[in-house]
Structure formats: structure tokens, C-alpha cells
Amino acid sequence: MRKLFVYISILYSFLYPCNEALSQSNLTADDIEKFIKEAESLLDEYKYDEALEILDYANQGAQFNNDDKSLSLVSNLKGKIYEMNDEIDKAITEYNHAIILAGSSKLRNLEADALNNAGRVKLKKKELVEKALEDFQKSYQYAAMQKDTLRMLRPLLNLSKYYIDQGNYKEAYKKLSPAQRLLSENSQPVARVKLDVLLGTYYYQTDKFDDANQKLNEAIIISKSEVKNDKNNSDLKYCFYQELADAYKIKSNLSYAITDFRNAYEYLDDYTRYNSEAQKIKKEVDLQKASIKFDVDQYKKQAEKMEEDLDLKESEEIKWRISIILGIVIILISLAFLISSYKNNLQKKILNQVLIDKNKELLNAKETAEQVSTLKSQFISTVSHELRTPLYGVIGLTSLLMENPETKKKNEYLESLKFSGDYLLALINDVLQLSKIETNEVKLEKVSFDIRMLVEGIANSLHTKQKSNNNKVHIEIDDAVDSSLMGDSVRLSQILINLVGNALKFTRDGNIWIKVKCLSCNAGLYNLRFIVKDDGIGIPKSKQKEIFDSFAQVKNENQEYEGTGLGLAIVRKLIHLHNSEIYIDSEVGVGSEFYFDIKYEKAIKDEEVHLHSGETLNIGTSNFNILIVDDNKINQIVTQNILKKKGYSSDVAGNGADAIDKVKVGDYDLVLMDINMPELNGLEATKIIRTFNSQLPIIALTAVEENEIRIQASAVGMNDVIIKPYDTQQFFQTIIRNISKVKMI
Ligand code: ADP
């Protein structure tokens, strides 16, 4: 619709350059007439599609105006267009439409035209021939009613041609005769020529050869001049050439009939020539039509392209708009996203900063705590060390005084002094031990040891306690348990001493069982269960958990026990170091059972194990000469007396330098070397001694904690370390072990 409107607008602006915009409703009858005339001239130029479009538009205008005349004219013209394009059915429809419209308005001229046209087309359809003849008749009648000779002539010519073509010359003449009369000076040349040729044919067929020649010659003269007439369009020229060809054809037949063969041949030649001329023009017309059609198609294509372009532009515009909207939306979303992520980032940054600050604070707090803890450990270590040295003297001297029957009698408070000294020493040792475990300073060692000897040694070392409460100690070790194992014997001793010590403390006139059971003893791996059981006072269920805490003691009003309340805490921590746990099974008045499991490897038997057995044999049997190096006079006396008690002879050196001199000249089996001494300390002195004597066993005798000193001691060539205050039995075992080593070599 828009395409047509665009076209009409262009056309209309061409026709009415100054007119306002065209609108269908305001088309006047004049406008419509102009459109129809424009369509007619387009028809002459074979511009059928354009003509049809204008006619459609005119048709709508005429319908709007109820203008039957214009509607009839439009239909008539459309019929012609379809006829020229050999669209017979469409042409008949349009002509019939034109006939009805003209008839209803009694427009006889128009009706006559439409009828003549309809007849001409209907003749082309066999089934409509009768109708065609009727239409010609009616056309003639309506034209006659108007006394319109031109319009009367057309159906007569059509009818006479039909009858001649049918060979019905009689009927043909009935039409030719009035037609001849209607012909006048004003008649169209084409009508005159057509009539002449028809009459010529009729005369030839009715053997009136002269009349025939006359009519045909007249037609030839007119036609020859008309084909040269530039006013005539190609259609007319084609028509005249055809008439010329027809005229010569009949003349040739006529000459042949009168045996004038020469002329017959010549006319035949003329016929061929003009016929080919007619065909030539027809071709030209067809070409022209085709080219116009092509142009129109091109135009249509162009219009379509324009429309497509418009659509494209429109859709591009829409796309562009959508893109802009989308763009804006995306930008808005991105902005919102940016803002929210900026806010998030800001929040994150703030949170991060808070976390960083907190981390710093925590790190500082941790560092401070670690510093405090280190300071605490250092403090404890230093204090305990400082306390232990004088305590060593106190206990040592007290022991000596107590062993002397004379002094023992003189001072009844010696026992209490010894008790207090022992308690203080135990407390210091426990505190030191606990702090060391807590600061991860205690590492498990792997040495070979004899489990049976270890257990028996513990039982023996506690025999005083055992006796004081009148308890019996029973040792039960599974036969499957190999004597020599690999592990940390010192920690195991600590655990058992604590547990057995407690059992002895909290049992009177009872029994203590130390059991070692094999949970699995094969392939050199011993999973052992250690049980320390007593039939003592027992522990109430409610207290069984808390006794493992530091300084926890079950209150018992009837009895007073010595103890620091740290023993079980240390035991549990030491068992944890072995990746194990301690369990308790106890009932008040029945007794207590503590048990735990530790895995040990089977030891490869070495000389140390032999030594262990040798030690026991040698204890108290040899008379060794020992050099005691100590700057502390009390310590010198205590150590000398202890050695003397076992029958050892000893000599004393007050410092490192003195010791070196004495070793050079004296015959000593072993040196007990203090570490911290003025002038030349024990380590330096040992270093020098080792330059001239590599065999002599030198044992560090010090209150300095074992781990700290052991590495330094072995680095300078010392053989062992004894920590003050020491257990006498262990003290002698160490001495014997080191002397035996040298002697055995
Ligand atoms: P203490 O030095 O007081 O013995 P421990 O930590 O070794 O400290 O023991 C804590 C407490 O647990 C003891 O004071 C005692 O009340 C109780 N206890 C420990 N072992 C036994 C036991 N075999 N029989 C009864 N009570 C025990």
C-alpha cells in the first residue's frame, strides 16, 4: 500500500507539482479523469503495470465518489491491458464489469465500447463465440442508438471478419454492406483499410475479381502511406503491415486463380515481405514491452529495495535504539555493579585492615606470650638450678650427719631437715620437668635398656618408702617381653617412679604390683602395657579426672602425705609424648590401678647391655681412685663421703687448672668434673686433659640441666654427665659403667 502511495505521490506531484499531499478521499472526478488519461497514455507506451497501478488508484477514488462512469472506464482500460497481455479471462471479467457499470448508468457509448471489446476477446474462446456475436450486435445497437458511426463500424467489421473467417460470405456481406455505408471522410484509416481488405476478400471469394482488386488496391495504397506515418504507433503500423500482407496474399491467390502466375508470385513475394515487416514490428513491440516490463521490474525491485532499505533503516534504527537502551541498561548495571563492588572492596579493605591490625595485635600478643613463656622457663631453669646447688649441700650434709650415730643423737631435728630438703628438691625437680615438657624441650630418646633391670631398679630405689608403709612390691613381667628394648628409658623410669611412688605413699600394709604385659610382642616390636596397682586407699570417682592436673591432690583429713601435686601431671605429659594415654581404675578403700601402653623396639644386643649386667656385679666390689673437681668445699666433702661409703678412694681439685696438674701426675680411674668453676671451667680443663689423656673417663658432675650440658660435654671429650642432686645408686652405676668400659678394652 505504501509502495503504491509512494508511486502515486510521485506521479501526482508530477501532475500537480504544487498540490498538497495526496489523499484518497479528496480525489475529484477531474483527478480521476486525469488518472485515467494518464493510464491510457501509459498504455500506449506499453507501461501496463504502471497503468494498472494508477487505474487501481483511480478505481478506489471513483468507488469513494460512486462514480460509475469512471469505474466503467477504469474496468474497460484494465480489460484492454489484460487483453494485450493475453490474459483473456481477466480481460473478459473487466470488460463485463465495464458493461454492467456503463449499462446501469445508461452510458451507451461506454457500453458499446465495452461490448465491442468484450466480443473481440470472447471470440478467442470457442465456448464464448455466441456471446461474442451477441456483444458485437449489442455494441452496434447501442452505438446506432447514439448514431455514433465510428462505434457502429467497429462491431460490424468484427462481425464481418468473423463470418468471412467462417466462410459465411452471405452473413459477412450483411455486415459489410452497412459498414460500407457508414464509412465517411472522417473514418479512421485503419477502419477503412480493414473494411477494404474484408470486402476484397469477400469479392475474391465470390469471384468478383475486379471489385476485389479494386478494394485491395485501395487498402494497399492507404496502408503503405500509413506505415510511413510517424503519428501512428507501432501497434497501428503492425496493423497496417498485416493488412498489407493480407491484401497481397489475396491478390496473389486472385492472380493464381486467373492463371496470372507471374503476378501471383510477385504478390506472394510482397505478402512475405509485409508479413515479415509486420512480424518485425511485433517483435519490436514485444521487445519494447519486455524492456518496459524489465524497467518496471527494475523499478519494482528498486521500490522494493527502497522499501527494504527503509525497513532496514527502520529496523536498524530500532536496533540502534535497542542498542542504545541496552547500552544504557548495561552501563547502569555495570555502574551499579561497580559501585557495589567498590563498596564491597572498600568494606573488604576495611575488614582486611581490621584483620591485619588484629593479626598484628595477635602476633604481638603471641610474641609477648612467647617471650614471657621463655622468660618464665629461663627463670624457672635458673632459679631451680640456683636452688639445687645449695640444696645438694643441705641434703648431702644432713644425710652424712644422720648416718653418723653421734650427731644423729645430738640433733633430733635432723630427720625433719632431711624431709624438708627432700621435699624441696622433689618440688624443684617436678616444676623444672613440667616447664620443660610444656616448652617442648623434652624430646624422646632412643637408647637400648633392660626393662627387667629398670623395673627392679625402681622398686629397689623406693625400698625406703616401701618399708616405711610396710608394703610388698610384686613385679610381674611377661616372659614374652624381651629384656633389652629400644626407647627412652629415662622417661619410662620417671613415669614408673611417680606411679609406684604414689602407690607406696597411699597404701599401708598392703601390696603394690608392677606389671608389664605383652599386648603384641612380635617381629621385633613390643606393644607393652604397664600396670601399677595397689590395694591402698583408692581415689573417689569424682576426683579421678582432676588428679592429673597440676597441683591437684585429693584431700584426706586423716592422713598427711608428702607430695607436690605435680607427679601425675608430669606422668600424663610424658605418656602423651609417647603418643599414648594413661587410664585409671580405682575404688575408695579397695585400691587403684594406673595403666598405659607404650611401643618399644627390640634392641640389638650391644656392649652397653653387657655393661649393665657387669655394673651390678661390680658395685661395691672395686676400690677405684676418683678425682673430684669442684670449687665448692661442701660439695667436695659430700661427694667424697658418698664415695668413701662405697669404699672408693678419692682426691680433690678446687678448679680446672688444679685438676689438669693432678691428672698429669696422679693415677685416677675416673674424674668427676664440675662445669662452672673459676679460672678454668670443667669444659676447658677436659679439653686440655684430652690432649694428653684420651682414655681416662671424665664425668661432668653438674647442677646444670642435662640437655644443655650433654652436647657441650661430649664435644670436649667428656664421657658422661651426672646431674646434681643425684640418686646415689644411679651415681654409682654411671661411675661403674664408665670405668668398666675402659677396663674391658
Ligand atoms: P602428689 O605429689 O600429691 O602425689 P600426684 O600428682 O602424684 O601428686 O598425685 C595427685 C593426687 O592423686 C595425690 O595427692 C593423691 O591424692 C592422688 N593419688 C595419686 N596416686 C594415688 C594412689 N595410688 N592411691 C590413692 N591416691 C592417689
Side-chain angles (χ1 to χ4, degrees):
M1 187 63 207
R2 194 186 54 190
K3 191 167 61 182
L4 178 68
F5 188 79
V6 169
Y7 183 84
I8 297 295
S9 300
I10 295 163
L11 182 75
Y12 201 73
S13 62
F14 167 74
L15 294 170
Y16 299 93
C18 302
N19 261 12
E20 311 136 39
L22 185 65
S23 106
Q24 182 183 301
S25 58
N26 64 8
L27 276 182
T28 61
D30 277 356
D31 294 334
I32 296 166
E33 198 184 322
K34 275 169 190 161
F35 280 143
I36 292 168
K37 278 195 177 149
E38 180 58 30
E40 277 172 344
S41 59
L42 285 168
L43 201 67
D44 287 342
E45 295 165 32
Y46 314 115
K47 294 175 179 171
Y48 301 132
D49 289 336
E50 293 171 39
L52 273 175
E53 284 190 25
I54 291 184
L55 286 174
D56 277 343
Y57 193 74
N59 195 47
Q60 284 173 33
Q63 269 181 351
F64 191 83
N65 295 346
N66 281 326
D67 179 358
D68 280 352
K69 184 187 168 191
S70 297
L71 283 171
S72 172
L73 280 169
V74 167
S75 288
N76 199 33
L77 273 174
K78 280 172 92 174
K80 264 190 197 166
I81 293 167
Y82 292 133
E83 185 186 349
M84 287 166 126
N85 282 298
D86 286 329
E87 291 177 270
I88 307 303
D89 291 331
K90 278 185 176 180
I92 290 168
T93 309
E94 288 298 337
Y95 283 141
N96 282 342
H97 199 214
I99 292 163
I100 293 162
L101 285 163
S104 65
S105 301
K106 305 226 183 319
L107 299 164
R108 298 303 177 199
N109 289 349
L110 288 182
E111 202 176 356
D113 286 350
L115 281 163
N116 181 57
N117 291 338
R120 190 175 57 238
V121 185
K122 286 174 189 169
L123 264 189
K124 292 184 183 173
K125 290 194 130 195
K126 269 186 188 171
E127 68 275 16
L128 295 177
V129 169
E130 285 304 315
K131 289 263 179 211
L133 297 179
E134 274 178 34
D135 286 348
F136 287 139
Q137 277 300 336
K138 279 185 187 169
S139 173
Y140 174 76
Q141 282 167 11
Y142 291 138
M145 280 160 69
Q146 302 294 310
K147 296 200 172 83
D148 185 336
T149 51
L150 185 67
R151 284 193 168 84
M152 288 163 71
L153 197 53
R154 283 183 201 146
L156 286 177
L157 288 174
N158 284 329
L159 281 166
S160 46
K161 175 148 181 29
Y162 169 74
Y163 290 126
I164 281 175
D165 288 345
Q166 296 297 312
N168 190 347
Y169 303 114
K170 205 176 156 195
E171 278 303 312
Y173 191 70
K174 281 183 187 169
K175 306 297 171 193
L176 285 168
S177 177
Q180 240 181 326
R181 284 198 297 274
L182 288 171
L183 214 61
S184 69
E185 290 290 309
N186 299 330
S187 297
Q188 290 172 320
V190 71
R192 181 177 292 276
V193 169
K194 275 187 184 287
L195 182 59
D196 283 345
V197 174
L198 284 171
L199 279 168
T201 311
Y202 168 76
Y203 287 136
Y204 161 69
Q205 292 294 351
T206 52
D207 296 333
K208 294 170 186 161
F209 292 157
D210 290 338
D211 292 340
N213 259 327
Q214 189 196 334
K215 289 295 169 193
L216 291 171
N217 287 341
E218 278 174 23
I220 286 167
I221 290 161
I222 299 166
S223 294
K224 276 185 177 173
S225 91
E226 286 302 321
V227 292
K228 286 172 190 158
N229 187 350
D230 290 338
K231 283 180 187 170
N232 290 332
N233 66 12
S234 300
D235 278 339
L236 269 176
K237 282 182 183 171
Y238 166 74
C239 194
F240 284 120
Y241 274 123
Q242 267 206 326
E243 295 300 332
L244 263 175
D246 283 353
Y248 277 115
K249 195 179 172 189
I250 299 159
K251 269 175 81 77
S252 170
N253 288 344
L254 198 147
S255 298
Y256 189 81
I258 58 171
T259 64
D260 183 358
F261 298 118
R262 196 170 157 268
N263 274 327
Y265 177 77
E266 271 181 17
Y267 293 148
L268 199 62
D269 201 30
D270 289 332
Y271 158 75
T272 313
R273 186 154 43 90
Y274 289 119
N275 193 42
S276 70
E277 279 296 327
Q279 295 314 313
K280 212 170 113 188
I281 285 183
K282 193 173 183 295
K283 270 184 191 166
E284 278 172 12
V285 169
D286 287 345
L287 209 67
Q288 211 176 335
K289 283 180 186 174
S291 117
I292 285 161
K293 179 103 178 117
F294 177 75
D295 284 348
V296 169
D297 284 349
Q298 282 291 93
Y299 171 78
K300 275 184 182 170
K301 274 182 192 163
Q302 224 171 309
E304 273 164 17
K305 203 178 168 300
M306 264 169 72
E307 193 184 13
E308 273 169 20
D309 286 350
L310 270 170
D311 287 347
L312 205 75
K313 223 176 149 188
E314 221 168 68
S315 72
E316 266 171 12
E317 238 170 61
I318 290 165
K319 271 186 203 165
W320 175 235
R321 268 182 217 156
I322 290 169
S323 305
I324 287 173
I325 292 164
L326 271 177
I328 291 167
V329 170
I330 288 166
I331 287 168
L332 283 175
I333 290 169
S334 310
L335 259 172
F337 179 72
L338 271 175
I339 290 166
S340 84
S341 48
Y342 172 74
K343 272 188 178 172
N344 278 349
N345 269 353
L346 212 67
Q347 271 175 339
K348 266 186 200 164
K349 269 186 185 170
I350 294 166
L351 274 174
N352 269 355
Q353 196 52 50
V354 170
L355 283 175
I356 288 166
D357 293 346
K358 283 274 170 221
N359 264 358
K360 271 185 192 165
E361 275 174 32
L362 284 172
L363 275 174
N364 287 340
K366 190 184 161 234
E367 271 169 26
T368 317
E370 276 171 1
Q371 275 172 3
V372 168
S373 166
T374 314
L375 278 174
K376 188 190 100 184
S377 302
Q378 277 171 359
F379 172 78
I380 290 168
S381 176
T382 313
V383 168
S384 61
H385 174 249
E386 293 305 316
L387 281 172
R388 280 203 297 187
T389 309
L391 206 56
Y392 172 67
V394 172
I395 294 168
L397 285 174
T398 315
S399 298
L400 287 174
L401 287 171
M402 279 169 72
E403 278 166 25
N404 186 329
E406 285 177 34
T407 45
K408 197 181 176 187
K409 276 179 199 163
K410 281 177 189 167
N411 198 338
E412 55 197 35
Y413 297 116
L414 272 179
E415 194 78 37
S416 325
L417 180 66
K418 173 78 166 52
F419 177 83
S420 301
D422 282 343
Y423 173 75
L424 200 56
L425 189 61
L427 180 65
I428 291 166
N429 282 342
D430 282 353
V431 169
L432 197 61
Q433 179 76 35
L434 206 60
S435 93
K436 286 196 151 228
I437 298 171
E438 276 170 1
T439 51
N440 293 324
E441 279 179 57
V442 176
K443 297 272 181 301
L444 291 181
E445 288 182 6
K446 232 181 193 182
V447 294
S448 58
F449 67 97
D450 189 314
I451 184 77
R452 286 190 170 79
M453 277 189 68
L454 186 139
V455 173
E456 278 160 17
I458 287 164
N460 288 336
S461 70
L462 297 168
H463 77 280
T464 327
K465 274 186 190 169
Q466 194 179 325
K467 274 186 182 169
S468 66
N469 280 352
N470 194 28
N471 291 319
K472 276 183 190 164
V473 177
H474 310 274
I475 298 171
E476 292 173 19
I477 300 174
D478 274 3
D479 291 341
V481 180
D482 200 293
S483 283
S484 44
L485 300 173
M486 282 287 281
D488 198 324
S489 57
V490 177
R491 309 302 164 206
L492 180 61
S493 299
Q494 283 176 337
I495 296 167
L496 289 174
I497 284 169
N498 269 299
L499 292 175
V500 176
N502 278 346
L504 288 166
K505 259 196 296 180
F506 300 106
T507 308
R508 263 180 215 281
D509 308 320
N511 296 286
I512 317 296
W513 291 269
I514 308 171
K515 297 181 189 176
V516 183
K517 288 190 179 299
C518 242
L519 292 180
S520 64
C521 291
N522 44 44
L525 197 76
Y526 292 83
N527 189 9
L528 303 180
R529 169 155 296 178
F530 294 86
I531 304 161
V532 178
K533 193 182 166 189
D534 63 63
D535 50 4
I537 60 167
I539 304 159
K541 287 263 180 283
S542 59
K543 304 284 176 187
Q544 285 178 10
K545 253 190 179 176
E546 68 185 47
I547 53 168
F548 292 100
D549 295 338
S550 300
F551 302 106
Q553 288 179 315
V554 180
K555 275 189 184 164
N556 192 318
E557 283 160 16
N558 301 325
Q559 286 166 299
E560 270 188 25
Y561 300 106
E562 53 179 294
T564 60
L566 290 170
L568 286 180
I570 292 169
V571 165
R572 190 167 65 165
K573 285 204 156 81
L574 289 173
I575 290 171
H576 284 173
L577 276 179
H578 285 85
N579 291 322
S580 188
E581 188 54 81
I582 184 160
Y583 301 97
I584 179 177
D585 191 2
S586 180
E587 207 175 308
V588 177
V590 177
S592 307
E593 182 179 311
F594 291 86
Y595 63 96
F596 59 93
D597 304 335
I598 295 182
K599 289 187 186 96
Y600 291 103
E601 285 170 32
K602 180 179 158 42
I604 303 148
K605 287 208 160 104
D606 55 23
E607 58 175 35
E608 204 183 338
V609 179
H610 292 295
L611 278 173
H612 275 292
S613 49
E615 282 164 24
T616 10
L617 286 171
N618 290 327
I619 291 173
T621 57
S622 304
N623 186 13
F624 297 121
N625 190 21
I626 312 257
L627 176 63
I628 303 161
V629 189
D630 204 320
D631 62 323
N632 189 312
K633 294 275 179 228
I634 298 168
N635 286 352
Q636 284 177 6
I637 296 164
V638 169
T639 312
Q640 267 198 305
N641 274 292
I642 290 169
L643 289 171
K644 202 177 155 190
K645 260 176 68 188
K646 289 282 174 193
Y648 293 3
S649 58
S650 62
D651 199 357
V652 180
N655 57 56
D658 199 10
I660 294 164
D661 293 342
K662 291 211 162 166
V663 168
K664 271 182 185 167
V665 293
D667 183 19
Y668 302 109
D669 294 301
L670 187 136
V671 178
L672 289 169
M673 180 81 78
D674 188 21
I675 299 290
N676 294 318
M677 288 183 293
E679 292 177 46
L680 194 69
N681 71 29
L683 294 168
E684 294 298 324
T686 308
K687 239 191 222 174
I688 295 164
I689 292 169
R690 283 291 173 240
T691 58
F692 60 88
N693 190 335
S694 60
Q695 292 297 311
L696 181 63
I698 303 175
I699 296 172
L701 189 65
T702 174
V704 177
E705 257 308 306
E706 203 175 357
N707 286 349
E708 295 160 32
I709 202 71
R710 198 172 276 279
I711 299 161
Q712 288 172 294
S714 84
V716 295
M718 287 179 157
N719 302 78
D720 221 325
V721 177
I722 295 173
I723 307 291
K724 292 186 281 189
Y726 46 77
D727 176 82
T728 323
Q729 203 169 354
Q730 277 180 359
F731 174 74
F732 282 110
Q733 275 185 3
T734 312
I735 290 171
I736 294 291
R737 188 167 66 235
N738 283 284
I739 293 173
S740 306
K741 265 187 196 172
V742 181
K743 302 275 181 218
M744 278 179 78
I745 296 165

